[in-house]
Amino acid sequence: MVAKPEHAAKPAPVLRCGRFTFDLARPLVMGILNVTPDSFSDGGRYLDRERALAHARQMRDDGADLIDIGGESSRPGALPVAEEDELARVMPLVAALATEGIAIAVDTRKPAVMREAVAAGAAMINDIAALTAPGAIEACAGVDVGVCLMHMQREPQTMQAAPSYDDVVVEVRDFLAARAAACVDAGIARERIALDPGFGFGKTLAHNLRLLRSLGTLAAMGYPVVAGLSRKGSLGEITGRSVDERMPASLAAALCAVLHGAAIVRVHDVRATVDALKVWAAVEGGA
Ligand code: 9MG
């Protein structure tokens, strides 16, 4: 009898987030819902609760696997938000949408917000600071929430002032490996961890492009890689387009990210991204 090749026996990898288990055989789409007055793309648009809920449901209907809700802007130059303000912006949406069976990620750096979000049914904590705040790892350990650990050089207020690396890929990879190890040591299961190079967070266009081409190096660590390029400044630098005109560039960037190894793309334009990925999957599936 001919032995099966080893890869044929391996189940497709999964990402476990609360009550959701995502099959990573196809790329996942994470829709962005910023509930902030000052986010770079949709700042102020979803401060009205009903409007925010309607947008989240629309992204779900358009094919988003997860909705990422954030109450503190992380755009370059953004100022920190008080805990009570962040909770007031985010929690009613998390509670309502989680009850409707939608997989919710909460984009926060604050352990208190993490704890409340998990208690309200959030499936994932998306932390641009990779759970480095005191108490953040503890807030996510011992519960079944998924975590997205992102790399950022410095803080949003200062991160785009002359970012510099000896080797951006090596430094981002080593940082993410260390953060994943800290999470595993604290009891967070490997299957609950995703890693993100943090496009635009303390990176020039050249850094972002090198990281994009090197996503395979990050994916080789064995964790799903999240790529967030949607409408970001680097796409404006390449195309000369304003934030509102960056959808085509964002689709191209999402496809490039998937081709280079991203398992999850974090996007504003869910419907268009889902369509683009369907075309890619049809082509690749037939190969
Ligand atoms: C909150 N936020 C803004 N950009 C992001 C990105 O690229 N990745 C992740 N995980 N979160 C982000």
Side-chain angles (χ1 to χ4, degrees):
M1 203 170 86
V2 181
K4 273 189 186 167
E6 200 195 323
H7 68 263
K10 276 191 194 155
V14 296
L15 175 66
R16 296 191 195 279
C17 297
R19 61 204 146 113
F20 301 89
T21 298
F22 295 106
D23 180 348
L24 299 174
R26 67 162 177 88
L28 304 181
V29 173
M30 178 190 268
I32 300 170
L33 179 58
N34 288 318
V35 204
T36 57
D38 56 343
S39 287
F40 76 97
S41 169
D42 47 5
R45 197 172 299 168
Y46 300 113
L47 284 175
D48 176 76
R49 191 163 304 160
E50 287 311 313
R51 202 168 176 192
L53 289 169
H55 185 56
R57 292 177 187 129
Q58 184 65 57
M59 289 196 283
R60 183 263 324 267
D61 293 346
D62 288 342
D65 298 285
L66 285 146
I67 308 288
D68 188 32
I69 304 179
E72 178 178 62
S73 172
S74 53
R75 78 173 194 188
L79 295 170
V81 167
E83 187 175 293
E84 58 272 26
D85 293 338
E86 194 177 329
L87 284 168
R89 288 175 189 173
V90 162
M91 287 313 302
L93 300 175
V94 177
L97 294 166
T99 307
E100 293 176 25
I102 299 178
I104 299 298
V106 175
D107 152 22
T108 186
R109 300 197 269 173
K110 298 188 181 72
V113 178
M114 293 173 189
R115 283 193 298 274
E116 293 227 9
V118 170
M124 175 182 256
I125 298 299
N126 171 31
D127 186 359
I128 63 167
L131 303 183
T132 49
I137 288 197
E138 292 75 7
C140 298
V143 287
D144 59 3
V145 73
V147 296
C148 176
L149 309 174
M150 200 197 79
H151 176 273
M152 168 168 62
Q153 191 178 72
R154 299 202 294 273
E155 290 287 305
Q157 262 180 287
T158 55
M159 65 190 181
Q160 287 308 100
S164 137
Y165 300 84
D166 289 331
D167 184 323
V168 69
V169 176
V170 169
E171 287 173 48
V172 168
R173 183 201 60 194
D174 290 354
F175 170 82
L176 293 176
R179 294 313 300 156
C183 288
V184 171
D185 287 349
I188 300 178
R190 291 182 64 91
E191 284 187 337
R192 299 193 186 284
I193 299 173
L195 304 180
D196 186 329
F199 291 107
F201 284 82
K203 281 124 194 152
T204 63
L205 172 58
H207 294 141
N208 288 326
L209 291 176
R210 245 207 97 204
L211 282 168
L212 185 45
R213 287 186 209 106
S214 307
L215 287 179
T217 303
L218 304 184
M221 288 192 280
Y223 297 96
V225 172
V226 179
L229 288 142
S230 185
R231 301 186 191 171
K232 283 194 176 164
S234 284
L235 304 183
E237 280 187 65
I238 295 168
T239 61
R241 303 285 181 204
S242 67
V243 170
D244 295 340
E245 299 175 315
R246 292 182 193 157
M247 203 238 267
S250 301
L251 296 179
L255 277 182
C256 287
V258 167
L259 282 169
H260 282 280
I264 305 172
V265 287
R266 182 179 180 278
V267 302
H268 297 88
D269 301 293
V270 169
R271 190 164 67 150
T273 306
V274 168
D275 281 359
L277 290 174
K278 279 183 182 166
V279 173
W280 171 80
V283 174
E284 291 306 308

